[in-house]
Amino acid sequence: KTILEEAIERDENFVEAQTMLAYVFIDMGKYKEAEMSFRKAIEVNEDAIPNNLYFLAQLVLDQGEYEESKKLFNRFVAKSTINNEMRQESFDAIEKIDFALEAMKHPVDFNP
């Protein structure tokens, strides 16, 4: 076990350790594990580290979960303490998600 996992075992509400573990999982390419760590951190206290919402939204977007990603981005942009650049990136992502959701309602045959 890693030090982070041991810390979480001792205190499952340790948001900072959950968040750091999520970043480690991302670096290792373990995206499902990162998603679970971000979800746990958000469940404990989403206001402790608001950026967790942003990174979770990105992870689920990468998995094609557009509706959930949009909800997470909207929760993120509603926070008053977030970075303006990340807020704008979130609005851009929401716009692209809306476009994708609309495009999926009207598929077009593709025959190269």
Side-chain angles (χ1 to χ4, degrees), residues 12-56:
E12 64 182 31
N13 295 328
F14 191 173
V15 173
E16 293 82 356
Q18 287 284 1
T19 300
M20 289 301 299
L21 186 59
Y23 293 141
V24 169
F25 283 139
I26 288 172
D27 287 344
M28 295 172 66
K30 295 183 175 184
Y31 303 112
K32 274 295 184 192
E33 290 88 343
E35 178 184 337
M36 291 187 319
S37 290
F38 279 130
R39 286 186 190 283
K40 178 62 180 174
I42 290 166
E43 177 186 315
V44 171
N45 183 353
E46 80 175 47
D47 293 324
I49 305 175
N51 288 358
N52 286 345
L53 287 166
Y54 175 86
F55 292 113
L56 178 58

